[in-house]
Amino acid sequence: MPSIISVKDLSKTYASGFQALKPITLDIEKGEIFALLGPNGAGKTTLISIICGIVTPSTGVITVGGHDIIKDYRAARAMIGLVPQEIMAAPFDTVWATVSMSRGLFNKPKNPAYLEKVLKDLTLWDKRDSRIVTLSGGMKRRVLIAKALSHEPQILFLDEPTAGVDVELRKDMWDVVRALRASGVTIILTTHYIEEAEEMADRVGVINKGEIILVEQKADLMRKLGKKVLTLHLQQKLDALPAGVETAGLKLGASGHELVYEYDTQRERTGIGTLLTTLNNAGIRVRDLQTTQTSLEDIFVGLVSDRT
Amino acid sequence: MNYRAIWAIYTSEMMRTGRTLAQSIVSPVISTALYFVVFGAAIGSRITDIDGVSYVAFIVPGLIMLTLLTQSVMNASFGIYFPRFIGTIYELLSAPVSFLEIVIGFVGAAASKSIILGLIILATSALFVPLHIAHPFWMIVFLLLTSITFSLLGFIIGIWADGFEKLQIIPLLIITPLTFLGGTFYSTSVLPPLWQKIALANPVVYLISGFRWSFYEISDVHIGVSVAMTLVFLAICLAITGWIFKTGYKLKN
Ligand SMILES: Nc1ncnc2c1ncn2[C@@H]1O[C@H](COP(=O)(O)OP(=O)(O)O)[C@@H](O)[C@H]1O
Ligand SMILES: [Mg+2]
C-alpha cells in the first residue's frame, strides 16, 4: 500500500521549552484506519495539529498525498478533514451556515445536496437552522464531524472522537467512519481507549511521552493477544520436567510447584488435553489450574511502563 | 487565490453584524444624532461659523470619522479575537487559506461595515443640516482608506490581545482621545501655536482634516499631506500585518 501521509524525523518543542514530540517517523497507508493510542499528554493532539497546519513543527518533513505541508500547504490541507478535540463550532452560527462556511474555506463549490447527505447521515438535518449554542453536547460534536466532512476530504482526523460521547453517537460515528473507509477515505483517530483501537483500527500506533513506541497491524497485535498462559499448581514439587512430558511452550515454574504452559487460542489444537493426559499418565497430580490472557492493555501498559 | 474562502470569511463576518444589528448600526446612529442635538442645536447655535461653515455642518465629517475609526477597530479586533478565544481559529489555520486571504476576509468585512455605517450617518446628518460635498471622489477615497487602515489596526489588536481588557483598552485609551483631540469638534487652528504643533503628531488630525476638505474645502493641513499621511498609516499597518504573517505571532504554537 502506498503511504498517503509520510512523517519524517518530526519533533516539536513548544515555546515553553517542553519537548512534546521526540523525532518521529511514521507512514500512514492510503485507505486504512490508523489508531494512535496513548495516555493523556502523550503528544497525540500535537502530532495531529502539526500535520493539519495548526502547530508549526520544530524539525522534520511531512508530506500529505506527496505535498509538503509547508511549501505546498494548499494541496496538502485540501485533502484533510479534522475533527478536533474539545472545541466547539462558532456558537452563534446555524448548523447550515457553519458547514457551508467550512466548505467555502476549503475552496469547494457549493453543493447543497452533498451537505444535506452529510447532515442526514449524522442526524443533524432537522437541526440545520438551529444555532450551535442551542444544541446538546453530542449534537455539537456531530456538527464538528459534519464540518470536517463538508469538503469531501480524502483523509479524516478524529482527535479523541468518543471522549464523553453517548452510545448512540458512538454508533453513528462508527457507521460514518466505516462508510468513509469503504469509499476509500483514510482515517486517523486518536484515543486512550484500547477497545476503541481494537474495534476500529487496521493498524495501531502506540505513543507515549512524545515517542512512537510501536506500530503494528491490529491483526498481529491480536495474535499476540490470542496467547494464553495456563498455570498448573502441582501437589508435589518437581525438580525437572519428567521425560515424555516435554512439549513446546511448557516450562517448570520457579518454585517447582507450578507448570506454566503458553498456548495459542487461535490454533485448532491447543494441546491442553494431551498435556493433562500425559501428566496424569506420568503420575503428576494437579491441585488447581488457572489461565491468563495478555490483553492489548497489558501490552500497552508494559510498553508504557518500560519507558518510564 | 482561494476566493471562496475569502467570501466564506467575509459573509460569515457580515452575518455576525446582521445578528447584532441593534448594536452595530442603531447605537452609533443614535449617538451621532445625540451629538447633533447637543453640539449642533444646543451649543452650536452660540458658536460662530468656522471659515464660512456653520458649526453643526462643520462637525459632520468629524463625527463620521469618529464612528469610522472606533467601529473599524472594534469590529475587526473582535472579529479575529473571538475565534482565537473560543478555539474555532483551528479551522482557519487548517484550511487551505493563506494569511493574506484571512486578512482580506476579516478586514474587508470590518471595513465594509464601517463604510456602510459612515454612509448611514452621513444620511442621518442630512436630516439635521443641509449637506454639501465638494469632492465626492475624495470623500469616498478617505472613507475607504480610513476604514481599511483602522480595520487593519483592529485586526492587529485582535491578534495581539490575549484578554477582553486588552481588546478594549486601545480603542478606549488611544483611539477615542485621539479622535476627540483630532479636530472632530474644532479646527486645530483655534489652538495655541504650541498645541497646533503637538496636534500634528496626532494621525487622526490628518484624516479628519482631509475628510472635511472633501466636504467644504477647508482644512487644517494641505489635502496632499492628509492623503500622504493616511497612506503612511496604511503602510505601517500592512507592514505589521506582514510581520505577523511571517512569524505566525500568537496564531501558531
Ligand atoms: N501550547 C503548548 N505549550 C506547551 N506545552 C504544550 C502545549 N500544548 C501541549 N503541550 C504539552 O505537550 C504535551 C502533549 O500534549 P498533547 O499533544 O495535547 O497530548 P495528547 O493529545 O496526547 O493528550 C502535554 O504535556 C502538553 O501539556
Ligand atoms: Mg489530545
Side-chain angles (χ1 to χ4, degrees):
Chain A
M1 270 292 197
S3 70
I4 193 162
I5 298 176
S6 148
V7 176
K8 207 159 176 290
D9 302 324
L10 167 70
S11 74
K12 175 65 188 178
T13 306
Y14 279 110
S16 61
F18 179 78
Q19 188 176 30
L21 293 178
K22 315 237 166 75
I24 278 181
T25 295
L26 176 70
D27 280 275
I28 306 293
E29 290 167 11
K30 194 170 185 316
E32 73 174 339
I33 299 183
F34 186 89
L36 194 57
L37 183 63
N40 277 328
K44 304 182 292 295
T45 301
T46 302
L47 177 56
I48 286 188
S49 300
I50 293 174
I51 298 174
C52 293
I54 299 165
V55 171
T56 46
S58 302
T59 67
V61 178
I62 302 172
T63 61
V64 175
H67 310 288
D68 186 281
I69 60 153
I70 291 169
K71 287 194 219 75
D72 204 2
Y73 69 94
R74 281 188 203 269
R77 291 183 197 170
M79 299 175 71
I80 298 177
L82 166 65
V83 182
Q85 177 188 5
E86 288 171 355
I87 289 175
M88 71 164 177
F92 305 114
D93 286 350
T94 63
V95 171
W96 185 260
T98 200
V99 292
S100 304
M101 158 125 186
S102 298
R103 193 171 166 89
L105 282 179
F106 281 76
N107 205 10
K108 287 275 187 174
K110 284 199 163 61
N111 186 345
Y114 173 76
L115 290 185
E116 179 176 341
K117 184 187 176 306
V118 169
L119 292 187
K120 281 186 171 159
D121 287 349
L122 287 159
T123 45
L124 275 172
W125 181 243
D126 294 341
K127 299 278 183 193
R128 63 190 177 280
D129 295 323
S130 306
R131 292 193 195 298
I132 288 157
V133 71
T134 65
L135 301 178
S136 70
M139 282 290 170
K140 285 182 185 136
R141 191 66 77 93
R142 286 170 197 256
V143 173
L144 286 181
I145 302 171
K147 276 167 78 74
L149 296 178
S150 68
H151 58 273
E152 302 161 61
Q154 288 160 263
I155 302 169
L156 180 67
F157 282 96
L158 295 159
D159 198 359
E160 312 256 356
T162 55
V165 146
D166 57 50
V167 181
E168 206 175 328
L169 174 51
R170 223 175 105 100
K171 188 189 155 294
D172 283 1
M173 190 148 58
W174 291 154
D175 287 348
V176 169
V177 165
R178 286 196 185 94
L180 285 170
R181 184 183 187 281
S183 71
V185 175
T186 307
I187 292 145
I188 296 108
L189 60 94
T190 74
T191 179
H192 51 259
Y193 299 120
I194 286 155
E195 310 80 57
E196 209 155 278
E198 255 182 84
E199 188 183 340
M200 295 302 300
D202 299 308
R203 274 200 312 155
V204 179
V206 177
I207 183 171
N208 186 46
K209 298 199 169 166
E211 274 182 285
I212 299 229
I213 48 188
L214 169 141
V215 176
E216 249 185 291
Q217 295 291 336
K218 190 183 62 180
D220 293 341
L221 268 184
M222 293 313 287
R223 210 161 297 133
K224 287 185 187 163
L225 277 178
K227 288 253 183 337
K228 266 194 166 181
V229 173
L230 170 69
T231 309
L232 300 169
H233 301 276
L234 308 176
Q235 286 190 344
Q236 71 263 56
K237 184 174 186 302
L238 294 182
D239 295 323
L241 278 180
V245 175
E246 300 112 327
T247 172
L250 184 69
K251 280 188 299 227
L252 189 63
S255 63
H257 281 287
E258 280 175 17
L259 283 172
V260 180
Y261 179 56
E262 196 182 303
Y263 64 99
D264 188 347
T265 54
Q266 318 281 90
R267 277 226 310 262
E268 217 165 286
R269 298 177 61 89
T270 56
I272 293 176
T274 322
L275 176 67
L276 291 178
T277 316
T278 319
L279 288 178
N280 197 32
N281 292 346
I284 300 171
R285 299 276 170 267
V286 175
R287 189 161 54 83
D288 194 7
L289 55 78
Q290 165 197 5
T291 65
T292 51
Q293 182 160 29
T294 36
S295 67
L296 189 48
E297 183 117 33
D298 295 332
I299 296 179
F300 179 64
V301 168
L303 280 168
V304 167
S305 58
D306 278 357
R307 309 283 166 139
T308 48
Chain B
M1 270 292 205
N2 183 346
Y3 293 105
R4 288 198 186 93
I6 296 177
W7 183 244
I9 297 171
Y10 183 88
T11 48
S12 144
E13 279 296 290
M14 293 306 273
M15 270 170 5
R16 190 164 62 80
T17 314
R19 281 197 302 267
T20 53
L21 206 61
Q23 188 193 327
S24 309
I25 307 265
V26 179
S27 81
V29 169
I30 290 181
S31 55
T32 312
L34 288 174
Y35 280 123
F36 279 121
V37 173
V38 174
F39 288 94
I43 300 174
S45 59
R46 287 155 204 263
I47 300 177
T48 51
D49 290 1
I50 300 171
D51 296 325
V53 178
S54 76
Y55 183 69
V56 64
F58 179 86
I59 63 171
V60 169
L63 285 180
I64 295 176
M65 275 290 163
L66 181 69
T67 308
L68 225 52
L69 300 188
T70 43
Q71 290 295 315
S72 296
V73 169
M74 272 171 49
N75 272 320
S77 60
F78 190 78
I80 186 70
Y81 178 74
F82 191 61
R84 286 182 55 223
F85 178 69
I86 61 170
T88 51
I89 188 89
Y90 85 86
E91 194 175 29
L92 287 174
L93 297 177
S94 63
V97 183
S98 71
F99 186 74
L100 180 65
E101 289 152 1
I102 295 177
V103 172
I104 294 174
F106 278 101
V107 170
S112 302
K113 287 181 214 173
S114 302
I115 291 167
I116 293 169
L117 206 55
L119 294 175
I120 290 176
I121 289 172
L122 187 63
T124 313
S125 60
L127 302 174
F128 295 87
V129 273
L131 273 184
H132 168 74
I133 303 172
H135 303 284
F137 171 77
W138 285 106
M139 189 208 82
I140 297 293
V141 168
F142 271 102
L143 212 58
L144 278 174
L145 283 180
T146 308
S147 303
I148 293 172
T149 305
F150 281 79
S151 295
L152 265 175
L153 179 63
F155 186 85
I156 294 165
I157 293 169
I159 285 185
W160 162 78
D162 35 31
F164 279 98
E165 302 78 35
K166 278 193 179 176
L167 202 61
Q168 284 170 337
I169 212 160
I170 294 209
L172 205 66
L173 288 187
I174 299 179
I175 310 285
T176 308
L178 285 185
T179 321
F180 274 85
L181 300 176
T184 306
F185 298 108
Y186 55 88
S187 161
T188 53
S189 63
V190 303
L191 295 173
L194 176 65
W195 282 98
Q196 285 190 33
K197 291 241 158 50
I198 294 173
L200 290 181
N202 177 358
V204 179
V205 164
Y206 301 92
L207 298 173
I208 294 182
S209 168
F211 197 52
R212 187 173 283 137
W213 175 86
S214 73
F215 280 74
Y216 311 123
E217 295 185 300
I218 53 171
S219 60
D220 293 344
V221 292
H222 190 270
I223 170 69
V225 178
S226 283
V227 176
M229 289 304 275
T230 309
L231 289 175
V232 168
F233 304 137
L234 179 60
I236 292 173
C237 290
L238 281 173
I240 298 174
T241 315
W243 175 81
I244 292 175
F245 167 52
K246 271 226 176 86
T247 57
Y249 174 72
K250 294 232 177 156
L251 278 177
K252 290 195 184 190
N253 287 315

